[in-house]
Amino acid sequence: MTAMMKAAVFVEKGRIELADKPIPDVGPNDALVRITTTTICGTDVHILKGEYPVAKGLTVGHEPVGVIEKLGSAVQGYQEGQRVIAGAICPNFNSYAAQDGYPSQDGSYLVPRGLCGCHGYKATAGWRFGNLIDGTQAEYVLVPDAQANLAPIPDGLTDEQVLMCPDIMSTGFKGAENANIKIGDTVVVFAQGPIGLCATAGARLLGATTIIAVDGNDDRLAVAKKMGADVTLNFRNVDVVEEVMKLTGGKGADGSIEALGTQATFAQAMKVLKPGGTLSSLGVYSEDLSIPLAQFAAGLGDHTIRTALCPGGKERMRRLMNVIAANRLDLGLLVTHQRKLDDIVEAYDLFAHQRDGVLKIAIKPH
């Protein structure tokens, strides 16, 4: 008989449920990882709401922490029983897109099925887990191109300490990196959810000396202070653009990071910039955007707008875990709740409705 496992699957708009699925077979370049901890992401909520399409019956989730259960015959440098993470984005690093410097946009594995065009470039296709292949909210996950995507967890680090590395930390830090931050810069981070909080922390590590965190939740703004924010602004109480201009003497911020994915936050992130400033966009948008004309200076203001999908790969994961191991940052603070995989439906309801001060939920299969 085929061995079975429990997995959270997308059923239809508004329904993600627990189901039994076969434990995956392992190909030569794969690794089967037994999940010890995973979590729910805002993107998973977009899937739940039908705002981001995935196939019915797909196992959702993309943030794996676990133990290698079985290795493919071609995978070298790892051992069964080893604790590992894998990036939420798990491209083939031999691909054209990866060698061009954009591994997150690698769809080379889709070419044989006629689902991707010339040379395997496809926007967001490096995001496989819970998007184009079965994901991590399950007892087991199959990691493709495992030799490039598995990263050993340093001794002494808990699952909760490294749980943010596969996606939230990598994405937030990429937002800070894309903001072109220089030592002494002023940076405004819009939205202090888990990704925005990591962007705030990343801005501090990169050398920004005035970090302005914006949110409508005072509890999250308090966490932002712990992550490195110098100034917090509750947009329900103040005019954020006006306050930023006061703080910068009318110059505007050197960089802004949009970490929510709405027209309102995008427009404000544009409005706070100085001429020549950079807007780093991390949000997942559900509709067309418009750019505020005056602040865009009719296209003549030397502004830069950069978008990003979370970087993956074992070297990225190694560097992120080094930050944790060196005590530069404690992201265990973001894990506010814990649930069993059996309670995944209730966990989604809690996370989607942002109750009880939830930031991230550690999901434990056992």
Side-chain angles (χ1 to χ4, degrees):
M1 293 180 64
T2 302
M4 303 295 284
M5 67 176 184
K6 295 177 182 178
V9 302
F10 175 74
V11 179
E12 61 185 5
K13 181 179 178 179
R15 287 179 63 197
I16 287 174
E17 296 183 353
L18 202 62
D20 290 328
K21 297 185 79 167
I23 295 175
D25 293 328
V26 178
N29 294 310
D30 304 329
L32 182 67
V33 172
R34 174 172 54 83
I35 296 293
T36 54
T37 309
T38 186
T39 187
I40 300 171
C41 177
T43 307
D44 298 324
V45 175
H46 282 288
I47 291 171
L48 173 66
K49 292 179 177 179
E51 296 170 347
Y52 187 93
V54 300
K56 292 183 178 180
L58 187 78
T59 303
V60 289
H62 51 263
E63 295 159 279
V65 182
V67 175
I68 298 173
E69 184 80 6
K70 187 175 181 180
L71 283 170
S73 59
V75 181
Q76 300 179 7
Y78 300 88
Q79 298 177 355
E80 292 175 0
Q82 189 173 25
R83 293 179 67 224
V84 291
I85 64 172
I89 308 303
C90 48
N92 174 359
F93 282 89
N94 294 315
S95 68
Y96 283 96
Q99 293 192 22
D100 193 25
Y102 298 100
S104 297
Q105 316 304 331
D106 164 43
S108 60
Y109 61 97
L110 298 170
V111 173
R113 289 187 278 159
L115 300 176
C116 191
C118 181
H119 294 101
Y121 285 83
K122 188 174 179 64
T124 77
W127 167 30
R128 294 199 233 184
F129 293 138
N131 180 24
L132 296 167
I133 64 173
D134 280 337
T136 66
Q137 290 169 21
E139 292 181 282
Y140 296 91
V141 67
L142 191 71
V143 179
D145 295 298
Q147 192 164 322
N149 288 302
L150 287 179
I153 299 172
D155 292 340
L157 294 186
T158 67
D159 281 16
E160 285 73 17
Q161 284 178 292
V162 301
L163 182 57
M164 301 302 114
C165 296
D167 180 6
I168 301 303
M169 184 182 184
S170 188
T171 301
F173 276 28
K174 183 60 173 175
E177 290 159 345
N178 272 2
N180 294 324
I181 293 170
K182 299 186 290 293
I183 292 170
D185 271 357
T186 295
V187 179
V188 187
V189 185
F190 288 87
Q192 296 298 303
I195 286 178
L197 289 167
C198 287
T200 295
R204 186 172 187 85
L205 288 169
L206 286 170
T209 50
T210 304
I211 301 168
I212 303 166
V214 181
D215 203 277
N217 183 312
D218 285 332
D219 291 335
R220 292 191 172 198
L221 290 172
V223 178
K225 279 280 191 179
K226 295 178 182 178
M227 292 292 111
D230 300 288
V231 179
T232 59
L233 299 177
N234 188 320
F235 66 79
R236 302 181 193 281
N237 303 329
V238 298
D239 182 315
V240 171
V241 176
E242 185 178 291
E243 287 297 314
V244 171
M245 289 304 168
K246 286 180 183 176
L247 289 165
T248 59
K251 180 190 79 172
D254 300 289
S256 63
I257 302 171
E258 197 286 336
L260 183 61
T262 69
Q263 174 64 53
T265 49
F266 181 87
Q268 287 208 318
M270 188 76 236
K271 290 177 180 179
V272 300
L273 283 181
K274 71 177 186 182
T278 299
L279 190 163
S280 174
S281 174
L282 293 176
V284 178
Y285 301 95
S286 301
E287 56 189 11
D288 289 344
L289 293 173
S290 61
I291 297 175
L293 180 64
Q295 287 74 25
F296 192 54
L300 304 175
D302 279 321
H303 297 106
T304 299
I305 299 175
R306 299 185 69 181
T307 65
L309 177 60
C310 168
K314 62 186 179 184
E315 172 62 7
R316 176 72 170 185
M317 297 301 108
R318 183 191 70 82
R319 288 176 176 271
L320 297 177
M321 288 190 288
N322 276 356
V323 174
I324 304 297
N327 294 315
R328 295 294 194 272
L329 186 60
D330 179 11
L331 292 180
L333 292 171
L334 304 189
V335 182
T336 55
H337 294 71
Q338 186 173 124
R339 292 291 187 274
K340 294 291 187 183
L341 181 61
D342 286 341
D343 301 318
I344 193 71
V345 174
E346 185 271 331
Y348 264 93
D349 187 69
L350 169 65
F351 187 75
H353 292 94
Q354 294 292 292
R355 296 196 308 272
D356 193 24
V358 66
L359 285 172
K360 292 290 280 186
I361 306 171
I363 306 294
K364 304 277 187 177
H366 299 288

